[in-house]
Amino acid sequence: MTCPIDHTGPAAITLDPFVADLDAESAALRAAGPLARVVLPGGVAVHAVTRHAEARALLTDSRLVKDINVWGAWQRGEIPADWPLIGLANPGRSMLTVDGDEHRRLRTLVAQALTVRRVEKLRAGIEALTHGMLDRLAEHPAGATVDLKAEFAYPLPMNVISELMGVDAAEHPRLKALFEKFFSTQTLPEEVPQMMADLSALFSRIVESKRKNPGDDLTSALLAASENGDHLTTEEITNTLQLMVAAGHETTISLIVNAVVALETHPGQRARVLKGEVPWENVIEETLRWSTPTSHVLIRFAAEDIEVGDRTLPKGEGLIVSFGAIGRDESQHGLDAGDFDVTRTPNRHISFGHGPHVCPGAALSRLEALVALPALYARFPDLALAVPREELRNKPILTQNDLFDLPVRLR
């Protein structure tokens, strides 16, 4: 059973489960107004905020909550347990799914480990990891086609977040397979319960291993905090670990991949960056805005009626934040919002979120990209896409602006 769709207002936009044309979909969402009615894969109807100003306001509105029990469709039993996106809508108790004092209690411990100062201390390790991967890329024959995502953009952030959280590299193949199913809109309904159970079991095993053999990592720190009076439950620690590993590598993968694609399809701007006329920080911020790693964030719920422009988000309705549409909002970024421009000033986007639930790993993701991209182009200044841009394939993931692969020639 799925949510009924109200046909009395503007037509609802059905989000493409195959993500064939994300730019066109984002444009349609913006055209529908700041609050659009959308249908998620599986026929679940929600609303989407599509404009910058309205999103900032909603993301700081205490009437918009993370408690899934506020969702009318959930209360009425209209969201099936085998819905492919259930893990994103109801990932279990963690700092992602609570508000107010409970959210602050859980987030504070993570935020202490991810301050800008602490993240900066990770730079040397990230640099060493990056150069090791570039050395391996350089072993390919000159002119060979290489999947830059598989051999660089994926393993770098996966290794960084695993070291930070205390996840052994031996778990990476299993994590990759499970997260592929977790994020995909194409996971078969009959596979969803087992996939969710397998993820829970894997992260529970990691937590128990750290309980017995703590190390210098965030999971061990969360366990220690729970023993020192912060009263974190095992469920909260396990779910926080899963959240941090998932978000901590997926976002950075997309940021690195999308930056390379943007530069390779805008050769004039690429040349200015490589000449040192434009700093790499500009490339990162413009990529975050123009080709934001996170397409949509699921899901918040209206505890009361909330006015959004000339429309109302009714009590009990679900809301997704459509960052792909928001990043190119002309009312925020000007009439050239659809253009990739590394000289854009100012560039005030919210691609890592806004308000209490702003991404705690934003500084880490920026640092990884700031180390990886200049090093990549310093080693391979004539890097080029191995296929035309239109042949790059989007992954069927509602939440991530991601590609199956990134074939390049390392010249």
Side-chain angles (χ1 to χ4, degrees):
M1 186 175 184
T2 55
C3 303
I5 302 168
D6 176 12
H7 293 284
T8 60
I13 297 171
T14 298
L15 300 187
D16 178 12
F18 295 100
V19 196
D21 191 342
L22 181 59
D23 288 348
E25 183 174 270
S26 295
L29 287 169
R30 285 192 301 276
L35 187 68
R37 296 187 311 116
V38 300
V39 182
L40 302 177
V44 174
V46 296
H47 292 73
V49 57
T50 68
R51 306 275 180 85
H52 182 98
E54 287 80 3
R56 279 178 59 94
L58 284 168
L59 292 173
T60 55
D61 194 320
S62 61
R63 297 172 295 175
L64 195 65
V65 301
K66 288 298 196 84
D67 183 0
I68 195 171
N69 294 301
V70 172
W71 194 9
W74 181 262
Q75 295 172 354
R76 296 188 296 270
E78 295 168 358
I79 308 300
D82 60 359
W83 182 39
L85 301 179
I86 191 65
L88 294 165
N90 188 32
R93 184 178 175 80
S94 73
M95 64 181 181
L96 182 68
T97 57
V98 294
D99 298 287
D101 291 342
E102 288 297 287
H103 173 256
R104 283 186 288 274
R105 178 178 71 90
L106 292 169
R107 185 184 175 95
T108 297
L109 294 166
V110 174
Q112 289 171 351
L114 291 174
T115 63
V116 173
R117 180 177 298 178
R118 283 177 178 262
V119 166
E120 186 60 32
K121 292 181 179 179
L122 300 173
R123 180 185 288 269
I126 295 171
E127 289 175 345
L129 189 59
T130 296
H131 289 293
M133 290 181 179
L134 293 175
D135 288 343
R136 287 190 287 276
L137 284 174
E139 294 173 0
H140 287 280
T145 296
V146 174
D147 181 358
L148 192 66
K149 178 181 176 182
E151 297 198 35
F152 184 67
Y154 173 82
L156 175 61
M158 190 59 168
N159 278 280
V160 170
I161 196 65
S162 293
E163 182 176 349
L164 181 68
M165 300 303 298
V167 176
D168 194 286
E171 304 285 6
H172 289 181
R174 181 62 173 153
L175 281 171
K176 186 175 188 298
L178 288 172
F179 279 135
E180 288 278 347
K181 288 188 174 184
F182 179 81
F183 285 106
S184 178
T185 61
Q186 300 305 298
T187 299
L188 297 175
E190 58 267 27
E191 296 178 347
V192 171
Q194 187 62 55
M195 174 268 293
M196 294 293 291
D198 289 347
L199 269 173
S200 178
L202 190 154
F203 282 104
S204 294
R205 177 163 49 79
I206 294 171
V207 168
E208 288 309 307
S209 174
K210 286 296 170 183
R211 196 188 300 276
K212 296 175 183 176
N213 299 290
D216 183 18
D217 55 73
L218 184 50
T219 303
S220 298
L222 292 172
L223 285 164
S226 70
E227 296 169 357
N228 292 332
D230 278 324
H231 305 298
L232 291 172
T233 67
T234 298
E235 178 192 14
E236 290 169 339
I237 295 170
T238 303
N239 290 340
T240 297
L241 171 61
Q242 178 174 328
L243 165 66
M244 293 298 296
V245 173
H249 79 282
E250 285 288 346
T251 299
T252 309
I253 293 168
S254 297
L255 173 54
I256 293 171
V257 166
N258 295 346
V260 171
V261 172
L263 290 174
E264 294 309 308
T265 52
H266 296 81
Q269 297 194 55
R270 176 184 183 274
R272 294 192 64 183
V273 174
L274 297 192
K275 289 177 182 177
E277 297 174 5
V278 180
W280 281 98
E281 287 87 349
N282 287 35
V283 176
I284 292 166
E285 296 309 314
E286 182 66 348
T287 301
L288 286 168
R289 180 200 71 83
W290 184 76
S291 188
T292 180
T294 305
S295 309
H296 310 279
V297 167
L298 277 62
I299 190 169
R300 289 167 167 83
F301 312 101
E304 302 176 20
D305 287 355
I306 304 174
E307 300 304 315
V308 183
D310 61 352
R311 298 180 189 171
T312 299
L313 177 64
K315 178 180 178 179
E317 289 292 300
L319 179 86
I320 66 173
V321 183
S322 294
F323 287 110
I326 292 165
R328 301 192 188 184
D329 180 4
E330 292 185 357
S331 62
Q332 170 66 15
H333 300 290
L335 296 179
D336 65 344
D339 298 336
F340 179 75
D341 180 5
V342 293
T343 66
R344 186 179 302 277
T345 304
N347 193 350
R348 299 190 181 97
H349 60 78
I350 56 170
S351 295
F352 280 117
H354 181 67
H357 286 278
V358 66
C359 177
L364 178 58
S365 185
R366 283 184 166 105
L367 174 60
E368 290 178 68
L370 188 56
V371 170
L373 291 166
L376 173 67
Y377 278 95
R379 184 73 67 93
F380 305 107
D382 295 319
L383 178 152
L385 295 181
V387 299
R389 172 66 184 92
E390 56 270 19
E391 292 184 17
L392 296 175
R393 303 171 299 151
N394 291 337
K395 293 189 75 172
I397 299 177
L398 187 74
T399 54
Q400 295 298 122
N401 179 11
D402 196 8
L403 299 174
F404 276 104
D405 51 17
L406 182 59
V408 301
R409 291 192 179 92
L410 301 174
R411 296 184 297 199

